[in-house]
Amino acid sequence: MSGSPYAPNTETDTSEMLDAVGVSDVEELFDIPEPVRFDGEFDIESRSEPAVLNMVSDMLGNNDDMTEFLGRGYYDHYVPSVVDRLSLRSEFLTSYTQYQPEVTQGFLQALFEYQSILVELTGLPVANASMYDAASGLAEAALLASRIRDADGTDVLVPEYVREERVSVLENYVAGHDIHVKRVGTADGTLDIDALTAAVDEDTLMVYAESPTTRGTIEEHLAEIGEIAHENDAMFTVASDPVAMSILEAPGDLGADVVVGDAVLGMPNAYGMGLGIFATRDDYLRHVPGRLIGIGEDQDGKRAFTLTLQTREQHIRRERATSNICTNQAWVALRTAIHAASLGPDGLVDLAEQMVELPRDLAAQLDALPGIEAPIHDRHHFREFVARTEAPASEIVAALEDEGFAVQAVDDHELQFTVTETNEHAVDDLIAAVEEVVA
């Protein structure tokens, strides 16, 4: 027998399989080239399960236990217990694909509902069954633009307020596709219209904007930005999220050809783990990355859900493939759908209104302190805002860490504060700590 419950084949099983394919041993089966072969020892000490648990617990104990007011693309929203209760049911947890229509009608219906929620919020008629994150969604939008745009053009214009990490993913995705990423200036926390007008020309492939932006501001000129892009035959892509879109005008109604972003619902804040959304127009249906779930009827006339379109290279010719979104993103999309459905339309709006009121109240309290101006942008804000400090921001961040609070320094004299329903209880203590460290 094998020594591991995770490799259950016996030596006899392995021998019979090797005989069946006509090789003498596993070494011959895999034929790993010598230059990449690892012949050393992993030097991993064997431990019992309790020993591993204790080791991990000790390691986690080294983490700082701070109250966080961090955001800039990743947001902590309370996830109702019903999300765990339903999504952890065995019929939803599987290591294999959930797309076999004859056995997974429930999962396919949930993904169809997820897509339907995004269609309603984005104002665009086609939404796929998830991306990895907002960054991969942005990159796929650029690749889609290069496929559907009739005229020549290789430039993707990205505002300077977009996080470098998101731009880096975009640049890595489009490397080798003759697509060039160029930054456009911003003004008071939003895209500078004059700078955009000067930058757009016949070489522009796509114009990208965010609302809310990375600095927490609402982009007030989306329609104008879209018109500038379309006048130059460029595609217009907007990043947002379901909570914000529940009270903002739908990007599709403002001219967006593609909407991307992070779903922000259904998953706890995990420092990077997210769920990308992707919605677009009917004209681009066959160029959409990932998967689309559709609805139809079976031979008995009963409603049936099925995988309608997937442009992965394992299903179509490799040169026509557009992505390889993995199956497990479907489970995260399931959790997002459950969370959104549990809130309902009114609950989603209530949550969004909180995300307007909480940063407004926190900014007002900070602005009343000496040495702090908050917010520095004369804009509407969502979840977060940037404050200017007389003292160096890095010194304030370090002092607040000693007081048990984590905030983000975004410039030498700029701090960014993010507040949601999960940390609003600590606002009074944060204000007291800030007052103490800036005194």
Side-chain angles (χ1 to χ4, degrees):
M1 290 288 291
S2 166
S4 167
Y6 304 108
N9 296 326
T10 66
E11 292 181 359
T12 300
D13 293 335
T14 302
S15 178
E16 290 176 351
M17 287 187 283
L18 291 173
D19 287 342
V21 297
V23 296
S24 59
D25 53 31
V26 174
E27 295 286 323
E28 184 181 356
L29 175 65
F30 292 111
D31 190 23
I32 301 172
E34 191 63 35
V36 298
R37 184 187 294 266
F38 177 71
D39 289 328
E41 297 291 333
F42 288 112
D43 196 24
I44 299 175
E45 180 184 351
S46 176
R47 290 185 173 90
S48 66
E49 182 173 319
V52 171
L53 289 175
N54 289 334
M55 181 184 70
V56 173
S57 178
D58 291 343
M59 190 180 302
L60 293 175
N62 294 327
N63 290 337
D64 290 328
D65 185 15
M66 292 191 290
T67 303
E68 299 173 355
F69 285 82
L70 304 172
R72 292 177 59 78
Y74 293 100
Y75 306 105
D76 191 20
H77 285 295
Y78 176 75
V79 180
S81 299
V82 66
V83 176
D84 281 341
R85 179 67 177 175
L86 293 179
S87 66
L88 294 177
R89 288 177 63 93
S90 60
E91 56 266 42
F92 291 139
L93 282 179
T94 169
S95 59
Y96 193 56
T97 180
Q98 305 97 332
Y99 301 107
Q100 309 304 327
E102 65 274 22
V103 293
T104 58
Q105 281 295 295
F107 209 127
L108 291 169
Q109 179 178 354
L111 292 176
F112 185 83
E113 300 292 350
Y114 163 83
Q115 295 174 174
S116 301
I117 291 168
L118 289 182
V119 164
E120 186 168 347
L121 291 172
T122 61
L124 292 171
V126 176
N128 77 0
S130 77
M131 306 292 295
Y132 293 126
D133 52 22
S136 62
L138 165 60
E140 293 285 2
L143 296 177
L144 184 148
S146 70
R147 292 192 295 270
I148 57 95
R149 190 170 188 263
D150 293 330
D152 292 334
T154 60
D155 297 343
V156 173
L157 304 184
V158 178
E160 288 179 346
Y161 59 63
V162 179
R163 289 177 57 202
E164 290 299 328
E165 294 87 346
R166 189 168 293 184
V167 177
S168 177
V169 172
L170 169 64
E171 291 173 334
N172 276 281
Y173 256 72
V174 301
H177 289 270
D178 193 25
I179 296 174
H180 309 287
V181 179
K182 295 184 176 179
R183 307 303 290 267
V184 180
T186 57
D188 197 27
T190 57
L191 188 56
D192 186 331
I193 298 298
D194 291 337
L196 175 65
T197 302
V200 174
D201 57 25
E202 61 183 10
D203 290 328
T204 304
L205 176 67
M206 186 181 88
V207 174
Y208 173 72
E210 298 179 349
S211 187
T213 70
T214 305
R215 294 173 76 87
T217 54
I218 299 299
E219 179 61 73
E220 301 172 2
H221 305 290
L222 285 181
E224 188 174 354
I225 296 170
E227 290 174 3
I228 295 172
H230 293 152
E231 287 171 356
N232 290 272
D233 194 29
M235 200 175 77
F236 180 35
T237 294
V238 174
S240 191
D241 69 78
V243 180
M245 287 188 289
S246 69
I247 59 170
L248 297 176
E249 194 167 356
D253 295 341
L254 296 172
D257 300 299
V258 176
V259 174
V260 299
D262 268 305
V264 308
L265 295 174
M267 295 292 289
N269 192 348
Y271 306 100
M273 177 66 187
L275 174 70
I277 62 177
F278 192 101
T280 189
R281 302 191 179 282
D282 276 333
D283 292 343
Y284 312 142
L285 174 64
R286 293 192 175 276
H287 295 277
V288 171
R291 301 177 172 90
L292 278 81
I293 309 302
I295 187 172
E297 292 183 352
D298 66 11
Q299 62 181 5
D300 298 323
K302 296 179 180 177
R303 185 181 70 170
F305 297 91
T306 185
L307 187 61
T308 304
L309 183 69
Q310 58 179 341
T311 54
R312 306 174 72 215
E313 66 180 26
Q314 71 187 82
H315 296 97
I316 63 175
R317 290 202 299 270
R318 184 172 187 176
E319 63 271 20
R320 298 185 61 188
T322 58
S323 74
N324 270 305
I325 303 301
C326 75
T327 298
N328 279 342
Q329 292 301 107
W331 185 75
V332 186
L334 167 79
R335 292 181 61 94
T336 297
I338 295 171
H339 191 167
S342 71
L343 290 172
D346 292 340
L348 205 54
V349 170
D350 290 344
L351 177 60
E353 289 176 343
Q354 273 189 285
M355 298 308 105
V356 175
E357 296 164 0
L358 290 175
R360 183 176 60 204
D361 294 345
L362 175 56
Q365 294 184 69
L366 288 170
D367 196 53
L369 300 178
I372 299 239
E373 176 192 359
I376 65 172
H377 300 304
D378 185 19
R379 304 287 186 187
H380 296 289
H381 289 79
F382 198 84
R383 292 194 190 92
E384 54 194 337
F385 58 89
V386 177
R388 182 174 290 113
T389 63
E390 291 182 2
S394 58
E395 293 182 5
I396 296 177
V397 168
L400 286 176
E401 287 179 356
D402 292 338
E403 299 294 325
F405 295 98
V407 299
Q408 177 79 46
V410 293
D411 205 338
D412 291 344
H413 290 273
E414 289 183 354
L415 296 176
Q416 188 152 345
F417 294 85
T418 304
V419 56
T420 71
E421 75 279 16
T422 62
N423 62 358
E424 67 166 314
H425 65 280
V427 163
D428 290 344
D429 292 337
L430 172 70
I431 295 295
V434 173
E435 186 173 15
E436 182 176 331
V437 302
V438 300

